[in-house]
């Protein structure tokens, strides 16, 4: 899609979005509530028309086609199964609407039941199924006509955490087994990182960054993306030199470390960098450590311990230590510590 804008009256819900979603990709739109994810999805589906811009599928413009003329299907958050129909009738519903012969529908339904692990449940009333099973029926119903693109709008948000986790794996499997392009909407960053080939991070109707999960997490281009995904430390530093694809930056302590930066900028002067808490380690005070401070909070989380370290400039730096051994972490409130950083963990943010 290119240059997509959408106004509702004088409110602009989508502002100049251009995205290229690749065939057979698991592509996720990630962003906070109200940022325009559903609106974008509804325009791909054809339930909403863009005010401006074009949407193409395999090179052909689809923006003017009716929803049922597009090789696209949607799974909504409230998946709205037909309660008076059986599991099999629900799955075959779209094919029946397309006027396909009974034998063909039966074969497709059997295949779908197998795909979503509901063999033998075809004749059950759909209301007898659990929430997760109903969600799988909704998926099978949307997949049965073999759309080129499946749109999924927060389809897992009604499920409890455990079921949600197993459905995440299930969805990823369904996507790679069917080869159908999935466009998935969520505001849950962990869900996006778990499932996606690529993620578009959205804010206020715009796309802020597109990339593979590791790029979005390790190489956020701006503060919003860094902040929205995971725990983050921001530090103000001075750019000393550019050396190929890295900048050399000076921390407040005077220590110099390399930092990556977004491809579209050439950083200079005072800039912000991000460092993830798990890329730092607390150590005994040492002149070799690039950062130093005083522990003012120790939060034990079972798998990890979070150390909140107050730096000389009074900012707090979060260090996440993995509890690789059992027992307490060895640091206490009031301790002076040095902070070591793993190699190549700093990323400069665009202003
Ligand atoms: N039909 C409409 N008329 C007027 N405003 C609308 C309409 N649909 C959406 N909006 C507005 O557009 C903005 C984006 O809405 P949208 O539903 O796309 O957000 P979202 O990212 O899907 O949020 P959520 O995570 O809460 O579902 C919101 O401010 C919303 O109020
Ligand atoms: Mg929405």
């Amino acid at each position: 899609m290119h240059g997509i804008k959408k106004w509702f009256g004088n409110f602009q819900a989508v502002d100049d979005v251009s995205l290229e979603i690749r065939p057979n990709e698991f592509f996720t739109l990630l962003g906070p509530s109200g940022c325009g994810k559903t609106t974008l999805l509804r325009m791909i589906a054809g339930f909403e028309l863009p005010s401006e811009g074009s949407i193409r599928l395999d090179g052909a413009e689809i923006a003017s086609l009716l929803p049922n003329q597009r090789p696209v299907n949607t799974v909504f958050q409230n998946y709205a199964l037909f309660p008076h129909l059986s599991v099999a009738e629900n799955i075959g519903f779209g094919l029946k609407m397309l006027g396909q012969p009974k034998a063909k529908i039966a074969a497709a339904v059997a295949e779908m039941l197998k795909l979503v692990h509901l063999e033998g449940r075809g004749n059950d009333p759909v209301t007898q199924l659990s929430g997760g099973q109903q969600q799988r029926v909704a998926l099978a119903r949307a997949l049965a006509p073999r759309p080129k693109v499946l749109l999924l709008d927060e389809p897992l948000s009604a499920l409890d955490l455990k079921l949600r986790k197993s459905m995440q794996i299930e969805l990823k499997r369904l996507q790679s087994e069917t080869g159908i392009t999935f466009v998935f909407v969520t505001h849950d960053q962990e869900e996006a990182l778990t499932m996606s080939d690529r993620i578009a991070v959205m804010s206020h109707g715009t796309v802020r960054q597109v990339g593979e999960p590791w790029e979005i997490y390790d190489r956020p281009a701006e503060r919003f993306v860094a902040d929205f995904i995971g725990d983050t430390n921001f530090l103000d530093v001075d750019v000393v030199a550019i050396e190929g694809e890295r900048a050399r930056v000076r921390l407040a302590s005077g220590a110099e470390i390399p930092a990556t930066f977004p491809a579209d900028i050439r950083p200079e002067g005072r800039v912000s960098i991000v460092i993830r808490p798990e890329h730092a380690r607390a150590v005994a005070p040492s002149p070799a450590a690039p950062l130093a401070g005083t522990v003012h909070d120790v939060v034990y989380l079972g798998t990890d311990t979070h150390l909140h370290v107050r730096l000389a400039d009074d900012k707090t730096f979060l260090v996440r230590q993995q509890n690789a051994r059992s027992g307490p972490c060895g640091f206490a409130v009031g301790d002076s510590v040095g902070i070591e950083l793993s190699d190549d963990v700093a990323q400069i943010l665009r202003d």
Side-chain angles (χ1 to χ4, degrees), residues 201-249:
V201 182
M202 294 185 66
S203 166
H204 294 296
T206 62
V207 169
R208 308 310 313 172
Q209 188 171 355
V210 182
E212 292 179 30
W214 78 269
E215 292 175 296
I216 296 292
Y217 186 77
D218 278 340
R219 303 274 191 268
E222 56 182 48
R223 188 173 278 257
F224 173 81
V225 176
D227 223 4
F228 190 68
I229 296 172
D231 292 325
T232 309
N233 293 299
F234 296 106
L235 293 174
D236 294 329
V237 301
D238 292 303
V239 177
V240 178
I242 306 279
E243 293 158 354
E245 293 181 347
R246 302 282 184 278
R248 177 151 287 281
V249 299

Side-chain angles (χ1 to χ4, degrees), residues 237-312:
V237 301
D238 292 303
V239 177
V240 178
I242 306 279
E243 293 158 354
E245 293 181 347
R246 302 282 184 278
R248 177 151 287 281
V249 299
R250 187 183 299 126
L251 308 182
S253 63
E256 293 184 5
I257 61 169
T260 50
F261 53 87
D264 60 342
I265 64 165
R266 192 180 161 81
E268 54 181 351
R270 198 137 181 88
V271 296
S272 294
I273 58 169
V274 307
I275 296 175
R276 297 294 184 184
E278 67 274 23
H279 295 152
R281 283 174 309 284
V283 295
S286 148
L291 293 165
T294 309
V295 175
H296 75 89
D297 218 348
V298 178
V299 183
Y300 178 77
L301 294 164
T303 54
D304 305 287
T305 299
H306 284 187
L307 299 174
H308 298 251
V309 179
R310 190 155 288 150
L311 305 177

Side-chain angles (χ1 to χ4, degrees), residues 55-71:
I55 303 178
R56 284 192 307 230
L57 187 69
D58 293 342
E61 178 69 42
I62 59 166
S64 58
L65 295 181
L66 293 171
N68 61 9
Q69 294 169 325
R70 303 184 185 200

